[in-house]
Amino acid sequence: QVQLVESGGKLVQAGGSLRLSCAASGRTFSSYAMGWFRQAPGQEREFVAAKSWSGGSTYYADSVKGRFTISGDGAKNTVYLQMNSLKPEDTAVYYCAARFRRRAEYQMQNPIAYDYWGQGTQVTVSS
């Protein structure tokens, strides 16, 4: 079993930047991909960004393209999310997720594709 732990969430002013971190605890084999999702109060959990380690492909939700950057080390099952030009609508609990199985029927933005999830870290953007 894999446990993911996120960190870095905090209160930040609109236009500011924040970097979230996530790492797997204990021993584990390399993931296929890792990603970030977020959930605002009263909203569905939505895809934010993901990175496939094999080919290095990155995926971003339209709402964060050009502002957020995902990076990490697949061998260590660590992933980061650099968030710039933050907006109040970015306020949410951000969840780290790890995908260990390459399942063609599930796209990267589909939460079902991911096998393990962190507990989440709160990001609040004030205006």
Side-chain angles (χ1 to χ4, degrees), residues 43-87:
Q43 302 295 317
E44 297 289 329
R45 184 171 298 186
E46 66 173 351
F47 169 78
V48 176
K51 187 174 184 66
S52 174
W53 306 124
S54 296
S57 299
T58 56
Y59 307 81
Y60 295 96
D62 290 339
S63 60
V64 306
K65 286 181 179 178
R67 299 190 299 121
F68 291 9
T69 302
I70 187 170
S71 62
D73 185 342
K76 298 180 179 179
N77 292 315
T78 59
V79 68
Y80 306 95
L81 185 67
Q82 178 65 47
M83 304 184 291
N84 299 324
S85 302
L86 284 163
K87 305 175 181 179

Side-chain angles (χ1 to χ4, degrees), residues 1 16 34-35 49-50 55 59 66 69 76 96-98 100-101 104-105 108 118:
Q1 299 295 313
M34 295 185 73
Y59 307 81
T69 302
K76 298 180 179 179
C96 172
F100 286 85
R101 295 171 292 177
E105 65 268 33
M108 201 67 72

Side-chain angles (χ1 to χ4, degrees), residues 32-33 37 47 50 52 59 98-115 117:
Y32 164 67
F37 291 75
F47 169 78
S52 174
Y59 307 81
R99 182 177 186 177
F100 286 85
R101 295 171 292 177
R102 185 170 56 226
R103 301 164 67 179
E105 65 268 33
Y106 296 127
Q107 297 180 26
M108 201 67 72
Q109 66 269 30
N110 191 337
I112 299 177
Y114 298 83
D115 303 291
W117 295 80

